Amino acid sequence: AGAAAVAAAVAAGGDASAAVGPLASPFADNAKAPLRRDASTLAAAFFRACDDRCDAEGAAEDCRDRLLEAAPLLLRELLNNLAEPDDACRGQALEALASYGDAVAVERQAEHLDMYRATLQSAASAARLGRKQVEEPVPALSRDGGLKILLPPYLHSLLHGDPEQRESAALGIGELVRLSSEATLKPVAIKVAGPLIRVGGDRFGGPVKAAVLEALAALLEVAPKLVKAFVPQLQATFAKALRDPALEVRRNGVTALGLLAPLSTRLDALVTDLSSGATADDAPDAVAAACLKGLAAVFGNATGPKPPSDASRDAARDAAEALAGHEDPEVSKAAAALSSALGG
């Protein structure tokens, strides 16, 4: 605690880099878990002390700005510790990250979002390859309460950032979700799905929409039961994506519809809409192909309590037959895939 207080005093005086460097040094690659755990404990105390000292009389006016500039050196080490198999080591790292979140406004935390993403992906890869943690590469997300601590800057960027920041945030949320589990997603799933659907429905460009669809697909893969309340909105969002001018948006919409199909209880309306969309006179070939692929994804995954009716199957089959042999190879290929999904 004394060392943390001294470091915080140095940071409050305006030299955050000099304070953070020594705190990060114990996190060496070959440091054993107890040492990394103790270093995380010290980091938590440092961030708490900084929160107090930066508000105290005599603190440098740019104290928090300098802390923000120097923080990545320490944050990277703490984020890497989230992949540790040692429970105590992960717990102290999470406490330190929570203390950082208390000391720095969420909009400022969001400035380091790309670093968060890169560090977590690197930590996950190292855990899979080095420690063979294939199923749970980042236990702080799949077992512990890491999501609650890490999500605020992601959600802030998603809702308030520029298009590039929103895209990065949505992709990052998808990455977090895939490193999590149904159990750890349960307390936050609604807080994540709602903003994603909202942003996906706004007038953003293809990259933002594609990233949102990818994140929503991740939720459906990892914890489908947790987003059942959003099925009508998700169905509308995914169906709309098939008519988007951007290829990646259409492609991600098809994937997401396949994941949603087992949950949906209104597939007849969806099948009717997509069948009409595929065969409309003014439908661009790319949209017709996407609608056919969406139908194939639905029929290939409609294992829920209310599968499409015979009338819906007939409408889809008519669409597949009408577009079989289409001059656009992508359309004819999609029609053949739909016929196969329909059983003939």
Side-chain angles (χ1 to χ4, degrees):
V6 170
V10 173
D15 197 356
S17 295
V20 168
L23 293 175
S25 60
F27 293 97
D29 288 341
N30 59 353
K32 295 189 180 299
L35 181 57
R36 291 196 299 275
R37 180 194 63 215
D38 292 344
S40 296
T41 302
L42 186 60
F46 166 71
F47 287 132
R48 286 194 296 269
C50 279
D51 194 22
D52 293 334
R53 286 197 175 258
C54 283
D55 290 332
E57 185 177 350
E61 291 185 5
D62 60 351
C63 170
R64 292 188 191 275
D65 290 337
R66 289 181 178 273
L67 175 61
L68 191 77
E69 291 173 5
L73 184 63
L74 192 50
L75 292 174
R76 286 190 186 93
E77 303 296 351
L78 295 170
L79 290 167
N80 276 316
N81 267 18
L82 301 186
E84 276 292 324
D86 184 88
D87 292 350
C89 191
R90 292 196 313 274
Q92 289 302 317
L94 286 173
E95 182 181 340
L97 289 167
S99 297
Y100 173 73
D102 292 337
V104 177
V106 68
E107 60 268 22
R108 303 305 307 274
Q109 295 176 50
E111 295 175 22
H112 294 318
L113 190 61
D114 288 340
M115 181 273 290
Y116 275 52
R117 290 182 56 203
T119 304
L120 283 170
Q121 289 301 296
S122 175
S125 295
R128 291 188 185 101
L129 296 173
R131 294 193 293 269
K132 308 303 180 185
Q133 294 172 207
V134 177
E135 296 299 323
E136 291 186 294
V138 184
L141 294 175
S142 56
R143 296 184 211 164
D144 310 325
L147 273 176
K148 183 179 178 181
I149 294 169
L150 294 181
L151 272 173
Y154 286 77
L155 292 174
H156 179 86
S157 289
L158 177 70
L159 292 170
H160 304 290
D162 61 29
E164 187 174 323
Q165 291 166 337
R166 291 175 190 257
E167 178 190 3
S168 179
L171 291 172
I173 289 171
E175 291 160 1
L176 288 180
V177 168
R178 288 193 168 91
L179 290 171
S180 303
S181 64
E182 184 172 356
T184 57
L185 279 166
K186 189 172 183 179
V188 299
I190 291 177
K191 296 177 183 178
V192 171
L196 284 170
I197 293 170
R198 193 183 322 156
V199 172
D202 286 343
R203 295 183 178 181
F204 291 108
V208 174
K209 292 180 181 177
V212 165
L213 291 168
E214 194 167 320
L216 290 170
L219 276 171
L220 287 167
E221 287 174 7
V222 178
K225 295 178 183 177
L226 299 181
V227 293
K228 286 184 73 173
F230 293 103
V231 166
Q233 296 99 309
L234 291 172
Q235 185 164 300
T237 297
F238 299 160
K240 183 179 179 182
L242 302 190
R243 294 170 169 84
D244 196 90
L247 172 61
E248 191 174 5
V249 174
R250 297 194 303 274
R251 183 184 296 143
N252 288 359
V254 169
T255 299
L257 274 178
L259 294 167
L260 185 70
L263 300 177
S264 179
T265 58
R266 299 185 60 192
L267 289 178
D268 283 342
L270 176 63
V271 170
T272 299
D273 175 47
L274 296 185
S275 298
S276 299
T279 56
D281 293 337
D282 60 347
D285 291 346
V287 171
C291 288
L292 292 170
K293 291 176 183 178
L295 286 166
V298 168
F299 281 101
N301 294 279
T303 58
K306 288 192 176 181
S309 65
D310 289 342
S312 292
R313 297 180 72 87
D314 290 342
R317 187 172 286 107
D318 289 344
E321 292 174 354
L323 295 170
H326 192 279
E327 60 183 11
D328 185 307
E330 197 66 25
V331 175
S332 59
K333 182 180 176 181
L338 174 55
S339 293
S340 176
L342 288 165

